[in-house]
Amino acid sequence: MTGPLRPAFGEGQVLAAADLSATVEHARTTAARHARYLHEWGIAEGLALVTAPRTDPVSGARFIEVTVSAGLAVDGTGREVVVPQPVVLREADFEAVNGAAPTTDPYPVFLAAVDRDPGDPARPDSCGGSAVRTRVEESYQILFGRLGDERLVAGQQPPAAGAASADPPVRWLVLLGYVRWTDGHFTGVTTSARRVGLRYAGVRAGVVAARSGTLTLRTSADEGKPAVVLSGEDPPSLVFGLYQGNGGVDPLLTVAANGNLSIKGSFAGRMPVGSVLVTSGTATDGMLLPLPAGVTAQEVADGRAVLHVQLTPRIPPVTGMQLHSAAEAGVDADRRVRCRIRTYDLQTAPPEIAERPGAVDFLVLAAVAATNGGD
């Protein structure tokens, strides 16, 4: 076995058809190997099963017309399969494969590559030899399968690493979806059946480097879908959020370069025994103290987390002849703050004493008890 052969030419060389064909074949084989081993095969764009309502003029029954939208797939041999315009699925083609189909189970629809004669008249060569075709159309077939044929997709094996680009009769099936059939018509479509769904093209790589300094992964191009952004900007960060449709991401979880974690919403999960979570801030009389992020009221109630609360009354500064002190600073079992500030007015004799609601700086520590079942 030899490695790939790249055509080479010299001055004055007479080129035969085989030489020119070898040049084309070398480029095709290189592209096919790239697609086979640096990418995952599947649907790259479009190729959806699109429906439109119809009515049978004889029976009056409602059914649907199914169209495969234009698009591109790359099969497991590394060949591109292009559907340049929408194609309406023919009911007669379905009946030819599945007959009356007395079941409501969905039937698979496949796409496969095929070479065709483009229909141009053959051209005689310059030496008066026999007529030859000068073009091959890299076309496609849309095939209906029988129930269970979708399992054939998983059993397909790519060519060997050194194999040339695969041409028909080698056939690779790309699943486009499923159709339902009732009383001689299509009545529904779906993208998954019997635990086999569509497969989309992807990338195989050990390293993915973003030239812009920011790498974004999205589950969809639709707004509101999950996305992950790894940013190398100053400061760098890792963000999980929802795609906004304009290229930005609304952050739900952010990990800063120093390890700080910021989240929107609540945090749930086991915490190791002995760990301590903290929250702090300012609260006024009557407010409920918040729990540290990741601690729930139920965990406190059943003893899985033990709270320690420290309150520091905020004493107003001396103003004129008025003095202030803390009359009360505490928290009840419901974590409700009780804070009263006592004011002494020294301008009166005897001094006038009054109390009013006050504020405290709080520190709440939640210690994970052994009953949490942590590590």
Side-chain angles (χ1 to χ4, degrees):
M1 295 292 293
T2 64
L5 296 177
R6 183 178 69 250
F9 307 107
E11 293 292 339
Q13 177 181 349
V14 176
L15 298 181
D19 298 318
L20 299 178
S21 295
T23 302
V24 174
E25 187 60 27
H26 178 267
R28 294 184 66 227
T29 302
T30 300
R33 284 196 300 267
H34 178 94
R36 277 203 301 263
Y37 299 112
L38 294 181
H39 296 269
E40 295 286 342
W41 67 269
I43 297 171
E45 178 65 28
L47 303 179
L49 298 183
V50 182
T51 64
R54 297 288 184 266
T55 302
D56 191 312
V58 177
S59 65
R62 301 297 299 273
F63 66 100
I64 60 171
E65 180 182 79
V66 181
T67 300
V68 176
S69 65
L72 167 71
V74 179
D75 70 20
T77 73
R79 174 164 171 159
E80 291 185 351
V81 188
V82 180
V83 179
Q85 58 189 13
V87 181
V88 177
L89 298 186
R90 296 176 49 188
E91 294 175 339
D93 293 340
F94 178 88
E95 288 186 308
V97 175
N98 292 295
T103 177
T104 58
D105 288 340
Y107 289 77
V109 182
F110 301 109
L111 176 71
V114 64
D115 284 347
R116 300 188 190 278
D117 186 337
D120 293 337
R123 300 178 183 178
D125 63 26
S126 59
C127 298
S130 59
V132 295
R133 297 288 179 183
T134 60
R135 299 290 186 274
V136 175
E137 180 184 357
E138 295 183 341
S139 188
Y140 63 89
Q141 283 181 311
I142 296 177
L143 308 168
F144 292 105
R146 297 181 174 87
L147 292 178
D149 279 354
E150 66 276 359
R151 293 191 295 269
L152 299 174
V153 173
Q156 300 176 114
Q157 296 297 321
S165 56
D167 292 327
V170 174
R171 186 175 72 176
W172 193 282
L173 298 177
V174 177
L175 180 65
L176 300 182
Y178 300 82
V179 293
R180 297 186 186 275
W181 179 265
T182 305
D183 297 331
H185 294 294
F186 297 123
T187 55
V189 300
T190 184
T191 58
S192 178
R194 297 175 287 277
R195 299 185 179 181
V196 180
L198 305 186
R199 175 170 176 150
Y200 292 92
V203 177
R204 298 182 186 182
V207 175
V208 178
R211 295 182 61 185
S212 66
T214 297
L215 182 65
T216 302
L217 302 177
R218 299 200 309 258
T219 61
S220 170
D222 297 332
E223 187 172 356
K225 297 298 184 179
V228 176
V229 179
L230 180 59
S231 174
E233 297 179 357
D234 188 18
S237 64
L238 173 64
V239 175
F240 169 80
L242 300 180
Y243 180 57
Q244 294 180 312
N246 58 358
V249 172
D250 180 23
L252 299 178
L253 180 150
T254 302
V255 181
N258 60 4
N260 288 347
L261 176 66
S262 302
I263 63 173
K264 290 184 179 179
S266 60
F267 173 83
R270 289 198 322 171
M271 298 174 292
V273 172
S275 63
V276 177
L277 299 177
V278 181
T279 187
S280 61
T282 301
T284 57
D285 181 69
M287 287 183 57
L288 288 178
L289 292 183
L291 293 172
V295 178
T296 66
Q298 184 59 46
E299 289 172 332
V300 175
D302 59 23
R304 286 179 291 165
V306 179
L307 295 185
H308 302 272
V309 180
Q310 177 178 326
L311 302 179
T312 302
R314 286 199 161 196
I315 307 298
V318 175
T319 55
M321 298 295 291
Q322 289 185 336
L323 299 178
H324 310 279
S325 66
E328 180 182 9
V331 61
D332 63 18
D334 295 325
R335 306 192 316 280
R336 190 177 301 278
V337 172
R338 287 289 299 165
C339 179
R340 308 291 292 180
I341 299 298
R342 183 171 297 157
T343 301
Y344 300 85
D345 190 348
L346 302 181
Q347 293 179 340
T348 64
E352 182 178 340
I353 301 175
E355 289 187 5
R356 60 181 176 84
V360 296
D361 294 325
F362 67 84
L363 180 68
V364 179
L365 296 89
V368 182
T371 53
N372 187 53
D375 299 327

